[in-house]
């Protein structure tokens, strides 16, 4: 039945579905994961790197996380070439607002303007939806730290913690269990990001080459926002801390199990 209604992005099926938009979401679900966590004193964005060739120049190449302006950064999951077009548009929206009003654009303003463009590509003939989802982290004077997600349909929403891309449902289930609203600090968010990726990535061992993490913080004294990519040695330290914690928990569990077994024998 779908084949009769999926040749155009503008044709509804009898069930009220736009199949081209659903296909775009399916493409995103097979791409590298992007994870966002909102903390009390900052925001964390993490991305899974699929291309880990040693020949890549890390200084000139970023697969997942892009800076839009001083107060806004985004992570992408899906078709990167589609994302590049939208990232340029995001930067233009921010700069136009800055030129017009002489102050940084509110984060939600930029997100909503881009989503208007994404929605148009689901409504007009001769176009196809952008096959990419974004996670945005930013800070502004109106709402402080913010985390948004947008998808190919043009929908967007604010989140405390979320994930898009491969194994996103598993990641969201872990976030629902582990994320503590109103209590999560930046260090907790970083540990949680490592925990989620260690359980959801298709790899036996998590390494710094397979992930990238960005941290956004705002200094109220200087009124400056900093966006920083974690270096490999920092990622290595976080991964080692997580592995040490897991080893300790496993050792305690085995001791408890052994004690229970001995007690049952007696």
């Amino acid at each position: 039945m779908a084949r009769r209604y999926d040749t155009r992005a503008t044709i509804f099926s009898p069930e009220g579905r736009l199949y081209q938009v659903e296909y775009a979401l399916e493409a995103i679900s097979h791409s590298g994961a992007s994870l966002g966590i909102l903390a009390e004193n900052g925001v964390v964005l993490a991305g899974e790197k699929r291309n880990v060739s040693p020949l890549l120049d890390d200084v000139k190449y970023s697969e997942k996380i892009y800076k839009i302006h001083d107060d806004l950064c985004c992570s992408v999951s899906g078709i990167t070439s589609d994302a590049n077009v939208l990232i340029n548009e995001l930067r233009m929206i921010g700069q136009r607002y800055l030129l017009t009003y002489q102050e940084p654009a509110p984060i939600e303003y930029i997100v909503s303007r881009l989503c208007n463009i994404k929605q148009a590509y689901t409504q007009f003939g001769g176009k196809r939806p952008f096959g990419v989802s974004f996670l945005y982290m930013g800070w502004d004077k109106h709402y402080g730290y913010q985390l948004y997600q947008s998808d190919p349909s043009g929908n967007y929403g604010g989140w405390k913690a979320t994930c898009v891309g491969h194994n996103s449902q598993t990641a969201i289930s872990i976030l629902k269990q582990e994320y503590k609203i109103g209590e999560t600090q930046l260090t907790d968010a970083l540990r949680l990001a490592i925990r989620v990726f260690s359980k959801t990535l298709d790899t036996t061992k998590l390494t710094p080459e397979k992930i990238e993490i960005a941290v956004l913080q705002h200094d109220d004294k200087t009124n400056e926002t900093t966006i920083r990519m974690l270096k490999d040695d920092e990622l290595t330290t976080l991964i080692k801390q997580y592995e040490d914690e897991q080893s300790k928990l496993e050792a305690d569990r085995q001791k408890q199990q052994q004690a229970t077994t001995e007690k049952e024998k007696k």
Side-chain angles (χ1 to χ4, degrees), residues 80-91:
T80 308
S81 55
D82 283 9
N84 289 335
V85 174
L86 295 175
I87 286 165
N88 287 336
E89 189 62 36
L90 278 170
R91 290 169 175 160

Side-chain angles (χ1 to χ4, degrees), residues 102-137:
Q102 297 299 305
E103 67 176 16
I107 305 303
E108 188 175 2
Y109 171 84
I110 297 177
V111 174
S112 63
R113 287 293 298 273
L114 184 76
C115 286
N116 289 342
I117 296 171
K118 295 172 79 172
Q119 189 277 334
Y121 275 71
T122 71
Q123 192 169 7
F124 298 114
K127 303 179 185 296
R128 69 159 174 81
F130 290 98
V132 62
S133 278
F134 285 89
L135 293 183
Y136 314 82
M137 69 172 180

Side-chain angles (χ1 to χ4, degrees), residues 50-62:
R50 288 286 179 89
N51 193 346
V52 293
S53 171
L55 300 178
L56 281 172
D57 187 348
D58 292 337
V59 176
K60 301 177 182 178
Y61 176 81
S62 177

Side-chain angles (χ1 to χ4, degrees), residues 10-241:
T10 55
I11 298 177
F12 282 100
S13 74
E15 296 85 17
R17 298 162 63 181
L18 290 173
Y19 284 106
Q20 288 295 326
V21 175
E22 293 184 17
Y23 296 160
L25 290 168
E26 186 66 21
I28 292 163
S29 70
H30 294 293
S31 66
S34 291
L35 173 72
I37 302 174
L38 187 67
E40 295 299 299
N41 57 338
V43 195
V44 171
L45 273 187
E48 173 193 0
K49 293 197 290 188
R50 288 286 179 89
N51 193 346
V52 293
S53 171
L55 300 178
L56 281 172
D57 187 348
D58 292 337
V59 176
K60 301 177 182 178
Y61 176 81
S62 177
E63 184 178 344
K64 301 296 292 185
I65 299 175
Y66 300 85
K67 183 177 179 180
I68 305 305
H69 62 70
D70 291 340
D71 299 316
L72 178 62
C73 182
C74 72
S75 178
V76 303
S77 286
I79 302 173
T80 308
S81 55
D82 283 9
N84 289 335
V85 174
L86 295 175
I87 286 165
N88 287 336
E89 189 62 36
L90 278 170
R91 290 169 175 160
M92 289 294 292
I93 292 168
Q95 290 304 308
R96 289 191 196 104
Y97 190 98
L98 180 63
L99 180 64
T100 303
Y101 300 105
Q102 297 299 305
E103 67 176 16
I107 305 303
E108 188 175 2
Y109 171 84
I110 297 177
V111 174
S112 63
R113 287 293 298 273
L114 184 76
C115 286
N116 289 342
I117 296 171
K118 295 172 79 172
Q119 189 277 334
Y121 275 71
T122 71
Q123 192 169 7
F124 298 114
K127 303 179 185 296
R128 69 159 174 81
F130 290 98
V132 62
S133 278
F134 285 89
L135 293 183
Y136 314 82
M137 69 172 180
W139 182 95
D140 62 36
K141 63 183 181 181
H142 304 285
Y143 298 110
Y145 294 115
Q146 296 159 71
L147 174 66
Y148 293 96
Q149 174 192 340
S150 70
D151 60 41
S153 67
N155 284 329
Y156 74 94
W159 292 80
K160 299 289 186 183
T162 190
C163 182
V164 293
H166 186 60
N167 281 343
S168 61
Q169 292 304 314
T170 304
I172 290 172
S173 296
I174 297 172
L175 289 171
K176 286 179 179 178
Q177 296 173 3
E178 302 289 338
Y179 183 80
K180 298 178 181 178
I181 297 176
E183 301 178 15
T184 302
Q185 299 298 311
L186 198 59
T187 52
D188 301 325
L190 287 169
R191 285 197 294 267
L192 181 54
I194 296 296
R195 178 181 177 82
V196 170
F197 273 159
S198 68
K199 291 183 176 295
T200 57
L201 297 192
D202 293 333
T203 180
T204 54
K205 181 176 173 61
L206 192 62
T207 61
E209 291 79 21
K210 294 178 181 177
I211 59 173
E212 56 184 1
I213 297 179
V215 174
L216 180 144
Q217 287 183 291
H218 181 79
D219 190 335
D220 292 331
K221 294 180 180 178
T222 61
N223 198 30
E224 291 184 356
T225 303
T226 57
I227 299 172
R228 186 173 67 89
M229 296 288 297
L230 297 193
K231 298 179 181 178
D232 284 351
D233 56 345
E234 294 176 284
L235 293 174
T236 301
T237 301
L238 287 169
I239 293 170
K240 188 175 185 305
Q241 287 175 352

